[in-house]
Amino acid sequence: MRRADRLFQIIQILRRSARPITASMLAAELEVTIRTVYRDVADLIAQRVPIRGEAGVGYVIDRDYDMPPLMLSTDELEAAVLGAQWVANRGDPGLANAARDLLAKIANVVPDHLRPFIADPGVGAAPARATSVDGLDMARLRAAIRAGCKVRIRYRDKAGRASERVVWPVIVGYADTVRLLAAWCELRQAFRHFRADRIEAAVFLDERFERRPGDLRRDWKCHFEAERGVRLP
């Protein structure tokens, strides 16, 4: 790893941690000696990066500190390219176009030596299989999620039974061939998951639901993890 990348990575590690990080922890993650960590941190402090350290406790960085935009490492850039490729192949049309626009914007602002990682990347997402056709406007659904607004849907389950429901949309899950809407269902008074290709009609309501979207998402996450026995990121 180049020294410039290592200094950048030290800042990233400190920014993502809610607790102090010791020199030995930094050395282990960066695969360098503790002496190298001491020297690198000293250089960062000399460059006025607001890092504080205490013997036996570890290093922390001022939470208000922000780096110049798009100071990306090659690994981070490849992660962005891979993610954007996946979304461009599997997202709804609005998100797919946004993913392509994102890559174009990144290519316009990163340093010249990083542009080949976008124009000719060494990573790639597999081609998508045929995706089921959504039964509602996914861009409007995502807007309803952000605004915390209800949606009235007509849904047909796998047995062919149709029902009308008012739901509080929580999150849209993107799988390889289908998209899923997680929502609080007023009919069932519980969280439910709806395949977008089985939604036959949708009316986007101006009425807001009685919870903050972020709080509702946290409740759904707890419900999902308890029901499925898995941890969500």
Side-chain angles (χ1 to χ4, degrees):
M1 181 186 294
R2 295 184 313 158
R3 185 165 184 271
D5 290 338
R6 191 172 67 243
L7 294 177
F8 173 80
Q9 191 61 26
I10 288 173
I11 295 173
Q12 290 291 80
I13 294 169
L14 295 177
R15 291 179 72 197
R16 76 183 184 219
S17 177
R19 291 178 284 184
I21 301 293
T22 65
S24 60
M25 292 165 66
L26 286 169
E29 180 161 347
L30 297 169
E31 299 181 344
V32 297
T33 66
I34 292 177
R35 178 177 295 181
T36 297
V37 170
Y38 289 148
R39 186 174 63 246
D40 287 347
V41 171
D43 286 347
L44 287 169
I45 293 173
Q47 296 173 34
R48 299 187 178 181
V49 177
I51 297 173
R52 302 187 304 279
E54 183 177 337
V57 177
Y59 297 109
V60 296
I61 192 167
D62 190 332
R63 290 296 156 194
D64 293 330
Y65 176 71
D66 198 12
M67 291 179 294
L70 290 174
M71 291 288 290
L72 301 177
S73 69
T74 52
D75 282 344
E76 289 170 335
L77 193 57
E78 287 187 333
V81 170
L82 185 60
Q85 287 178 346
W86 195 97
V87 174
N89 286 332
R90 294 167 175 81
D92 60 79
L95 277 186
N97 287 333
R100 299 183 189 100
D101 290 344
L102 173 63
L103 287 180
K105 289 179 180 179
I106 293 175
N108 283 334
V109 296
V110 296
D112 290 343
H113 73 278
L114 290 177
R115 286 178 183 163
F117 293 98
I118 300 174
D120 188 21
V123 296
R129 291 178 288 172
T131 303
S132 300
V133 177
D134 300 318
L136 74 171
D137 186 327
M138 299 302 288
R140 290 192 67 185
L141 177 60
R142 288 187 278 106
I145 291 172
R146 292 192 294 268
C149 290
K150 299 181 182 184
V151 183
R152 181 182 294 113
I153 63 172
R154 184 168 69 246
Y155 188 71
R156 191 171 297 277
D157 65 19
K158 63 181 179 181
R161 297 183 295 263
S163 60
E164 297 269 350
R165 304 160 184 253
V166 173
V167 300
W168 305 359
V170 177
I171 191 169
V172 178
Y174 288 77
D176 275 342
T177 60
V178 68
R179 288 179 267 276
L180 297 171
L181 167 63
W184 175 264
C185 177
E186 290 188 353
L187 177 65
R188 302 301 183 193
Q189 287 295 293
F191 287 110
R192 289 291 186 266
H193 298 93
F194 305 95
R195 283 182 46 157
D197 60 328
R198 291 180 181 159
I199 297 175
E200 297 182 332
V203 177
F204 295 91
L205 307 175
D206 293 331
E207 181 183 359
R208 295 178 180 272
F209 44 77
E210 293 81 19
R211 299 289 306 282
R212 291 176 53 193
D215 293 339
L216 190 65
R217 257 189 301 280
R218 280 190 289 274
D219 287 349
W220 166 80
K221 183 176 179 180
C222 291
H223 163 80
F224 185 92
E225 291 178 344
E227 183 181 68
R228 306 293 176 90
V230 298
R231 294 280 297 174
L232 293 174

